[in-house]
Amino acid sequence: AAARARLWCNKGRLNMAWFMAQIWAWPTKFVYAVPMSLAVRFSNIAAFAVRNTRSLGRAGLDLLLPGQCLSCRALTGEPAQLCSDCFRAAHFLADPLCRRCGTPLPGALSIAGRRELDLSCAQCLTAPPAYDGARAVLAFGEVAKQLVHDFKYYDRLEGAARYGTWMARAGGEFLSAAELVVPVPLHYGRLIRRRYNQAALLARAVGQVSGVPVEMRALCRVRATPSQTGLSAEARRRDLRGAIA
């Protein structure tokens, strides 16, 4: 009887110890479980609020500052776009092109029709250029002229990302094998006056689209040169000789 009494007492102590442990552990579990559930709920609410705040902010910004055409400044549905009239007037270059200089070869469409054929214009056949290849986005016309002038001289920098996308698409065959994208440097005097290097902005945009690394300091403008506007090709070569290192 004494042994059974001692066993009962021991079981009672164990049961009481387990019960007390659960009582002491319950607040701890509650403290950790409740904040975690609240944190998850608040994080979901915060993410929802951020998404909707951005959408509302974008809508408000579009209402106050609606998007304008990059060329004629007509109102557009999205910023940094061409309006329908300017898009139709712009002459985007496409194959078939001269494999060296990128000049369109419309007469070669019936002969080639495929990018892999080796096509060259008459100028590159008679006097091959010093470079391996070049590509352009647009044929020079009124729309292209307006885009270049506004971007280069009139602080229309909102088009940089759009231009970079166009350039990456036009030069995709070169970028696929490229190791670096290097912008043409600007002399520090002109950089101070202009406040930005348009070539550097375009290089950064092309790098972001293509994934090719961009090196801004690979080249340096060691000598200032006059404006090249209106000069012949020979005069430009003479002015730029030794200006970039």
Side-chain angles (χ1 to χ4, degrees):
R4 286 196 298 270
R6 285 195 298 270
L7 180 61
W8 183 85
C9 290
N10 290 334
K11 288 183 178 180
R13 292 193 185 98
L14 290 176
N15 291 335
M16 183 61 68
W18 177 86
F19 181 72
M20 294 300 295
Q22 294 302 311
I23 293 177
W24 285 106
W26 181 81
T28 306
K29 294 178 181 179
F30 180 79
V31 167
Y32 282 103
V34 171
M36 183 58 67
S37 62
L38 290 178
V40 172
R41 181 172 297 181
F42 279 125
S43 64
N44 294 333
I45 295 174
F48 176 80
V50 168
R51 288 195 299 269
N52 286 272
T53 301
R54 288 176 179 174
S55 301
L56 291 174
R58 177 65 181 274
L61 186 61
D62 290 342
L63 182 63
L64 295 175
L65 300 172
Q68 292 182 327
C69 173
L70 291 170
S71 178
C72 70
R73 305 201 180 195
L75 297 183
T76 57
E78 293 288 334
Q81 297 275 7
L82 290 177
C83 67
S84 57
D85 292 337
C86 291
F87 187 82
R88 286 193 296 267
H91 182 193
F92 286 88
L93 301 181
D95 286 328
L97 303 170
C98 172
R99 69 177 184 87
R100 295 292 291 271
C101 68
T103 298
L105 301 173
L109 183 59
S110 59
I111 301 173
R114 296 191 304 170
R115 179 188 295 270
E116 58 266 22
L117 292 183
D118 187 4
L119 300 175
S120 296
C121 66
Q123 179 66 29
C124 289
L125 288 174
T126 56
Y131 51 83
D132 293 329
R135 292 295 180 269
V137 173
L138 293 164
F140 195 72
E142 289 302 317
V143 174
K145 180 180 178 181
Q146 191 66 46
L147 294 177
V148 171
H149 284 196
D150 285 353
F151 181 68
K152 188 174 181 179
Y153 300 115
Y154 298 109
D155 296 348
R156 292 293 304 273
L157 306 183
E158 70 273 18
R162 181 70 56 188
Y163 302 151
T165 301
W166 292 348
M167 294 173 68
R169 183 169 59 243
E173 58 184 305
F174 300 140
L175 289 169
S176 61
E179 297 180 1
L180 283 177
V181 174
V182 179
V184 177
L186 198 64
H187 191 264
Y188 69 89
R190 186 163 295 171
L191 180 61
I192 292 174
R193 293 193 300 271
R194 191 176 293 173
R195 304 185 308 281
Y196 62 93
N197 180 4
Q198 72 280 352
L201 297 179
L202 293 175
R204 184 179 292 112
V206 170
Q208 290 175 347
V209 174
S210 65
V212 180
V214 180
E215 180 52 63
M216 295 293 182
R217 298 183 180 180
L219 299 174
C220 179
R221 198 80 167 226
V222 297
R223 177 171 57 83
T225 55
S227 174
Q228 305 298 296
T229 304
L231 297 182
S232 64
E234 180 58 34
R236 295 187 182 196
R237 282 193 291 267
R238 186 173 57 251
D239 282 351
L240 292 174
R241 191 173 291 120
I244 299 175

